[in-house]
Amino acid sequence: MDDRGEETNVIKRVGVIGGGQLAWMMAAAAKKLGVELIVQTPSCDDPAVSIATRTILAAIDDATATAELATLCDVITFENEFVNLDALSQLAGQGICFRPSLDALKPLLDKYHQRCCLRDLGLPTPQFVALEAVRSQTTEGKSTSTLKPQTPPTFSFPIVLKTRRHGYDGQGTFIVKDAQELEAALSRLEDTPLLVEAFVPFERELAAIAARSTTGEVVIYPIVETQQEQQVCRRVFAPAAISAAIVAEVEAIVHTLLSSLEVVGLFGIELFLTVEGKVLVNEIAPRTHNSGHFTLDACETSQFEQQLRAVCGLPLGNPAMQVPGAVMVNLLGYEESQSDYQEKRQQLAAVSNAHVYWYDKAESHPGRKLGHVTVLLEKEQCGRELASAIEFIWYGS
Ligand code: ADP
């Protein structure tokens, strides 16, 4: 790269740490851009193995494997955030190019650090406090440890307890109503580092998908509404039915975030919109995001192409929607099974303007993301009714 930030070498080989569905969905964009994907992932059953030019079979946080990955590609990006930053720092020190950079990722991998980062940037986020293990001695001289807030929280029940790392799809997020529930949760979680935050009685949840290029250009997709059940995303409506003022507020937050962290890559940012019309950032995912799957079919440039464009030093693509609206429904597992649900998939594909994605996972477990469906909407079509119809086909109720 030269000192104006423009790419002097053409990047044609991209290493991806993580081989789940997010890496799998990069395939069409990689083909379009003439880019090879080399994937590091633990199992040969992982979705992206089938589309990778080459796979390094190793754990996500195995930095020795990442060193090998680096010999096969020009740049390394991420499909999840469960990396070992300390180990990767040594590789970065040897000149290996990570996009986003490890410096940009550093404040984001731990939910407590992420909240501190947002606060330090002056961005709105729920009130929060970390829990620390406080060691003490019993009268018999035995050492015990109790989790205590670092500072007394200024908020009260209900609260939200979150594991600081490795949480996803609501695993690691617990809504706690009272002291009794808190005690039970703490004893279950034992020594896990935790974050406590105020429960936000949101009116709805929003998400923004945005990319920043090597030259500092930022593009933001239309803001969407996401709906979660038991902390797991069930459906996404694009665009969100919100005022221009809220859109502008969200976009300003996203600009500040990506520019301050000097991100090169694509991020998903989850937000709460309160009844009073206040916007709060819930979570930053430093990678492609479930709430951006609609872009595959509804936008000129998908989030996956945009990620590749950003990390390859190419100009960013147009994020605008090509249709009046879209609804995306996750196909979550609802039983233990090895079925490929052929019949249901055929019924889903028969829905007018539906695009079905099936991640070809070997097994279904309740709550596991097995695929998704995006339906492109015509002008007056109701996204909510379509989402219900899709869910009726999939879950049968
Ligand atoms: P994960 O990393 O597992 O996706 P999140 O922090 O995004 O966890 O939480 C998952 C969901 O839990 C959110 O989309 C939201 O519905 C709910 N949630 C999380 N934090 C709060 C909060 N502070 N107040 C209210 N609901 C919350």
Side-chain angles (χ1 to χ4, degrees), residues 45-345:
D45 288 335
D46 289 339
V49 173
S50 65
I51 58 93
T53 309
R54 220 175 130 175
T55 305
I56 308 282
L57 280 181
I60 299 306
D61 62 356
D62 180 340
T64 310
T66 306
E68 190 190 341
L69 177 71
T71 63
L72 303 171
C73 57
D74 312 307
V75 65
I76 294 180
T77 192
F78 307 87
E79 77 111 52
N80 67 58
E81 52 277 25
F82 307 136
V83 292
N84 179 348
L85 218 50
D86 289 338
L88 294 186
S89 299
Q90 288 187 17
L91 301 179
Q94 293 160 18
I96 290 167
C97 180
F98 291 96
R99 287 180 176 163
S101 72
L102 304 186
D103 284 344
L105 290 179
K106 201 169 176 188
L108 305 178
L109 303 188
D110 171 311
K111 288 191 188 209
Y112 174 66
H113 295 159
Q114 203 179 95
R115 288 264 177 271
C116 294
C117 167
L118 288 163
R119 180 196 58 200
D120 297 346
L121 290 173
L123 297 176
T125 191
Q127 291 178 283
F128 65 98
V129 62
L131 288 185
E132 270 186 341
V134 179
R135 301 209 173 274
S136 54
Q137 293 236 321
T138 61
T139 42
E140 296 89 50
K142 254 175 84 184
S143 171
T144 61
S145 147
T146 330
L147 283 169
K148 293 251 163 66
Q150 276 171 341
T151 48
T154 49
F155 48 92
S156 54
F157 292 109
I159 58 169
V160 185
L161 200 60
K162 293 183 177 179
T163 54
R164 287 173 54 166
R165 285 216 65 189
H166 303 294
Y168 71 100
D169 287 349
Q171 297 184 26
T173 295
F174 310 93
I175 295 168
V176 175
K177 286 201 294 292
D178 53 33
Q180 210 179 343
E181 271 192 25
L182 178 62
E183 207 175 309
L186 290 180
S187 65
R188 231 182 16 249
L189 292 163
E190 289 183 340
D191 287 336
T192 317
L194 296 168
L195 163 75
V196 175
E197 59 187 43
F199 176 82
V200 179
F202 53 80
E203 195 245 327
R204 63 180 92 174
E205 292 188 81
L206 305 174
I209 300 291
R212 186 174 175 276
S213 71
T214 48
T215 57
E217 178 197 4
V218 172
V219 300
I220 306 177
Y221 283 88
I223 310 305
V224 298
E225 176 179 353
T226 67
Q227 291 184 350
Q228 276 58 233
E229 282 177 26
Q230 285 160 338
Q231 283 84 255
V232 184
C233 179
R234 287 291 287 258
R235 53 198 91 83
V236 171
F237 299 100
I242 49 173
S243 68
I246 300 289
V247 170
E249 203 178 325
V250 171
E251 289 183 348
I253 290 172
V254 171
H255 266 281
T256 303
L257 189 67
L258 267 60
S259 302
S260 309
L261 295 175
E262 299 185 7
V263 165
V264 173
L266 180 128
F267 277 24
I269 297 125
E270 298 171 34
L271 309 108
F272 298 129
L273 177 63
T274 69
V275 188
E276 301 80 34
K278 237 175 108 181
V279 174
L280 300 171
V281 180
N282 174 32
E283 192 169 41
I284 307 158
R287 51 165 170 80
T288 52
H289 196 254
N290 193 179
S291 62
H293 290 356
F294 76 97
T295 63
L296 278 168
D297 306 293
C299 298
E300 188 176 317
T301 315
S302 76
Q303 64 166 344
F304 303 98
E305 178 177 340
Q306 205 72 279
Q307 180 187 25
L308 283 175
R309 287 184 160 278
V311 306
C312 291
L314 296 170
L316 298 178
N318 176 10
M321 287 180 72
Q322 306 296 294
V323 284
V327 48
M328 191 285 309
V329 176
N330 275 331
L331 304 177
L332 302 177
Y334 48 83
E335 60 183 3
E336 303 288 340
S337 169
Q338 291 185 341
S339 168
D340 64 358
Y341 298 98
Q342 269 269 342
E343 210 183 303
K344 290 209 180 206
R345 286 197 275 147

